[in-house]
Amino acid sequence: MGLFTRRSQESQGTDGAAVATLEVDPGLAALTGDYVIDAAHSSIGFTVRHAMVTNVRGSFADHEGTLHLDGSDPSRSTAAIDVKIASVDTGIADRDGHLRSGDFFDAEAFPLMSFRSTEAGRLGGDTYRITGDLTIKDVTRPLSIDLEFNGSATDVYGNERVGFEGSAEILRSDWGLTWNAALEAGGVMVSDKVKLTFDISAVKQA
């Protein structure tokens, strides 16, 4: 169910040729509005290669954000997300402490990781791309996230919800996260490439 539906009728272009038109799906147009991300039913995670042979997965439990969705014109949609670095959780307390330290995020000096969108658009079907500025520590760089629209529903409390899931890949060194350790057999302890994952449930505001 994409934001636009192709209709069978045609209109005349300025040169007299028939031009197919795209009309807005009224059901999705009705989703236009402001939303708050429900952190209890959302996740922001990451996967990174460890010791060249396996993956370590983690997430940030404490985050908040807002969305503005424009069902008639997706390019006018926006997103803002703040993540508390201290909430990082990989399931190993010592590893989480290392990630919070100055070797990595330096959570005491830079408590938040933030994303502010600058552009949005439809790739096709239910897939969209949102581009913006990702700030980690004192470095801000562009990031594009591909998202799939999972649909909308009214929950048992009468809240209108929308859902998205998506991913992006970054090089952590682009944000100054360069700590590593060499392995005896060659290679390094932590890969530069990190996969970010997003599973978002957001509630429409009155």
Side-chain angles (χ1 to χ4, degrees), residues 109-142:
F110 305 98
L112 291 179
M113 174 172 59
S114 65
F115 177 81
R116 298 292 184 270
S117 68
T118 57
E119 184 179 355
R122 181 189 179 201
L123 298 180
D126 290 334
T127 304
Y128 301 84
R129 176 171 292 162
I130 189 163
T131 298
D133 295 324
L134 176 66
T135 300
I136 303 175
K137 298 175 78 170
D138 56 353
V139 178
T140 300
R141 295 181 61 88

Side-chain angles (χ1 to χ4, degrees):
M1 182 173 67
L3 289 177
F4 293 91
T5 302
R6 185 171 294 279
R7 305 299 187 185
S8 59
Q9 67 265 26
E10 296 179 335
S11 60
Q12 296 295 315
T14 56
D15 59 356
V19 178
T21 61
L22 288 177
E23 293 185 2
V24 176
D25 183 325
L28 289 174
L31 298 179
T32 297
D34 295 317
Y35 292 76
V36 171
I37 293 175
D38 178 6
H41 297 94
S42 302
S43 64
I44 297 176
F46 60 89
T47 303
V48 62
R49 182 76 72 179
H50 177 260
M52 308 296 290
V53 296
T54 191
N55 291 318
V56 168
R57 293 175 174 83
S59 63
F60 296 93
D62 196 346
H63 54 83
E64 60 184 22
T66 58
L67 308 175
H68 174 76
L69 302 183
D70 192 320
S72 300
D73 183 358
S75 69
R76 299 176 62 183
S77 299
T78 60
I81 300 173
D82 291 315
V83 175
K84 290 188 178 180
I85 296 298
S87 70
V88 66
D89 181 8
T90 65
I92 303 294
D94 287 346
R95 182 166 58 206
D96 296 342
H98 192 197
L99 289 172
R100 296 184 190 107
S101 75
D103 283 345
F104 286 95
F105 289 109
D106 196 357
E108 185 173 348
F110 305 98
L112 291 179
M113 174 172 59
S114 65
F115 177 81
R116 298 292 184 270
S117 68
T118 57
E119 184 179 355
R122 181 189 179 201
L123 298 180
D126 290 334
T127 304
Y128 301 84
R129 176 171 292 162
I130 189 163
T131 298
D133 295 324
L134 176 66
T135 300
I136 303 175
K137 298 175 78 170
D138 56 353
V139 178
T140 300
R141 295 181 61 88
L143 173 69
S144 292
I145 306 169
D146 289 348
L147 295 165
E148 182 176 355
F149 175 55
N150 288 337
S152 63
T154 301
D155 66 23
V156 295
Y157 302 106
N159 299 312
E160 187 173 356
R161 292 178 176 269
V162 293
F164 295 88
E165 61 180 314
S167 63
E169 287 188 351
I170 66 171
L171 298 179
R172 61 188 179 91
S173 59
D174 287 343
W175 280 267
L177 303 175
T178 58
W179 183 92
N180 229 320
L183 301 175
E184 289 186 7
V188 292
M189 181 70 72
V190 185
S191 68
D192 192 18
K193 184 170 69 175
V194 180
K195 181 179 180 180
L196 305 176
T197 56
F198 306 87
D199 198 343
I200 301 298
S201 177
V203 177
K204 193 174 188 179
Q205 303 301 287

